[in-house]
Amino acid sequence: MPALDPNPRNGQRNLLLILGAMLGISVVIAVIATIASP
Protein backbone atom coordinates (compact mmCIF):
# COMPACT_ATOMS: atom_id res chain seq x y z
CA MET A 1 0.00 0.00 0.00
CA PRO A 2 1.73 3.20 -1.14
CA ALA A 3 2.14 6.01 1.38
CA LEU A 4 1.07 8.56 -1.25
CA ASP A 5 -2.19 7.26 -2.66
CA PRO A 6 -2.94 8.69 -6.15
CA ASN A 7 -6.64 8.59 -5.20
CA PRO A 8 -6.81 9.56 -1.51
CA ARG A 9 -10.60 9.88 -1.54
CA ASN A 10 -11.00 6.16 -2.26
CA GLY A 11 -8.52 5.24 0.47
CA GLN A 12 -10.33 7.50 2.93
CA ARG A 13 -13.63 5.87 1.96
CA ASN A 14 -12.19 2.40 2.59
CA LEU A 15 -10.83 3.53 5.97
CA LEU A 16 -14.22 4.99 6.89
CA LEU A 17 -15.94 1.76 5.80
CA ILE A 18 -13.57 -0.33 7.93
CA LEU A 19 -14.00 1.96 10.96
CA GLY A 20 -17.77 1.98 10.47
CA ALA A 21 -17.88 -1.82 10.24
CA MET A 22 -15.81 -2.15 13.43
CA LEU A 23 -18.08 0.33 15.23
CA GLY A 24 -21.21 -1.40 13.97
CA ILE A 25 -19.95 -4.83 15.05
CA SER A 26 -19.08 -3.44 18.49
CA VAL A 27 -22.57 -1.96 18.85
CA VAL A 28 -24.21 -5.24 17.78
CA ILE A 29 -22.10 -7.20 20.28
CA ALA A 30 -22.97 -4.69 23.04
CA VAL A 31 -26.70 -4.97 22.26
CA ILE A 32 -26.56 -8.78 22.25
CA ALA A 33 -24.62 -8.77 25.54
CA THR A 34 -27.19 -6.42 27.09
CA ILE A 35 -30.09 -8.62 25.97
CA ALA A 36 -28.34 -11.84 27.05
CA SER A 37 -27.40 -10.52 30.51
CA PRO A 38 -30.01 -11.39 33.15
Side-chain angles (χ1 to χ4, degrees):
M1 202 167 163
L4 290 173
D5 203 347
N7 192 2
R9 244 182 252 131
N10 195 23
Q12 206 171 16
R13 198 173 132 261
N14 283 343
L15 189 69
L16 278 169
L17 277 170
I18 292 165
L19 285 171
M22 283 165 58
L23 254 168
I25 290 165
S26 301
V27 169
V28 168
I29 289 168
V31 169
I32 290 169
T34 305
I35 292 168
S37 66

